[in-house]
Amino acid sequence: MLLAVDVGNTNVVFALFDGLTIKARWRIATDPRRTADEYAVWLMQLLSIEGHMRAVVETIIISTVVPRALHNLEVLCTKYFGVEPLIAGQGAAGYGIDIDVDQPKSLGADRAVNAIGAHAKYPGDLIIVDFGTATTIDAIDFNGAYKGGIIAPGLNLSLDALVGNTAKLPRIAIARPATESVIGTNTEDQMLIGIYWGYVSMMEGLIERMRHQIGRSAKVVATGGLAVLFNGHPGLFDAVDPDLTLDGLALLAQRAATR
């Protein structure tokens, strides 16, 4: 079986695959100081709870946007699984796609892996919206080439900045407002409207501009933990695919095995 590890700025997600099917997934806060031993204590217990022995893990692939976290994860793989991990974008796990930007090596691994996963699942030109610590909007052409994109503050970053830099605004949970009204009658509603409908308007505007620049019909695929928050907004996304990054990693590992 394959263990895919997606290291984001906020969370590390581990997913156990049988072929291209996810059998289990676990999430832990990203901490570059977390040692291989600490990962092992946590992960081995979860594997056991799901009924899996660590010996079932034959291949491991890691994608990371936090370089400092990589070493301890590599030690986890070699010490506790006896596996030399594949690193997304390196060696046999090279992306194998055209990255048509000024500095291809600066592209985040998550965005490249998203492109791989999306191109395999959805034909034609694509726009991928990934709700992570930052919100990214990326253009992938019909050949699977990464053409560029947009980086914007993530929802939680925006809320943290709003609450952290004001004296009286309360911490609120991010959710879809109860009504379509954009005129709030109390502080909490006004904040929620600003965050939610402000984000909807931003995405509508940027997606429309990107579609116009692409010049062809493009399917919009959303991923990331908060993508489902906007799933009910008509016409915004053509598909919501929360496991897109993990599926891209599984495809990349599969391709690496044949190289």
Side-chain angles (χ1 to χ4, degrees), residues 119 123-126 140-145 216:
H119 178 64
D125 290 276
L126 298 169
I140 314 301
D141 76 7
F142 55 88
N143 290 315
R216 298 181 297 272

Side-chain angles (χ1 to χ4, degrees), residues 18 23 27 29 43 55 58-59 77 101 107-108 110 113 133 137 139 158 218 234 259:
D18 184 359
K23 307 304 289 186
R27 185 181 301 266
L43 184 57
E58 300 172 320
T59 308
C77 298
V101 295
L107 179 65
D110 53 344
V113 171
T133 305
I137 307 175
S158 299
R259 289 175 181 167

Side-chain angles (χ1 to χ4, degrees), residues 113-244:
V113 171
N114 281 347
I116 292 168
H119 178 64
K121 298 172 77 172
Y122 307 99
D125 290 276
L126 298 169
I127 295 172
I128 303 172
V129 184
D130 190 344
F131 293 92
T133 305
T135 296
T136 58
I137 307 175
D138 293 315
I140 314 301
D141 76 7
F142 55 88
N143 290 315
Y146 178 86
K147 306 300 288 185
I150 298 164
I151 301 173
L155 277 161
N156 284 308
L157 276 181
S158 299
L159 184 59
D160 288 345
L162 183 63
V163 174
N165 290 281
T166 54
K168 297 179 68 176
L169 292 183
R171 169 69 59 180
I172 61 170
I174 298 174
R176 184 185 175 104
T179 72
E180 302 289 302
S181 173
V182 293
I183 302 176
T185 57
N186 59 67
T187 299
E188 288 80 2
D189 284 353
Q190 291 171 10
M191 292 174 65
L192 193 56
I193 289 166
I195 291 290
Y196 183 88
W197 290 115
Y199 240 77
V200 168
S201 297
M202 179 190 76
M203 287 185 292
E204 287 176 332
L206 291 176
I207 288 169
E208 180 58 32
R209 283 175 175 268
M210 192 175 281
R211 275 179 162 150
H212 178 75
Q213 190 167 337
I214 291 169
R216 298 181 297 272
S217 176
K219 180 173 288 187
V220 182
V221 180
T223 190
L226 291 174
V228 294
L229 185 64
F230 301 96
N231 195 20
H233 189 72
L236 192 57
F237 306 133
D238 296 295
V240 174
D241 194 336
D243 293 323
L244 185 63

Side-chain angles (χ1 to χ4, degrees), residues 1 13 21 67 78 103 113 133 147 247 252 255:
M1 299 179 81
V13 181
T21 302
T78 56
Q103 298 175 319
V113 171
T133 305
K147 306 300 288 185
D247 290 341
L252 190 57
R255 293 175 188 176

Side-chain angles (χ1 to χ4, degrees), residues 26-48:
W26 309 282
R27 185 181 301 266
I28 192 170
T30 302
D31 182 354
R33 299 169 300 175
R34 183 172 286 111
T35 67
D37 301 327
E38 289 172 317
Y39 277 119
V41 170
W42 172 80
L43 184 57
M44 297 307 173
Q45 291 185 71
L46 291 170
L47 278 166
S48 178

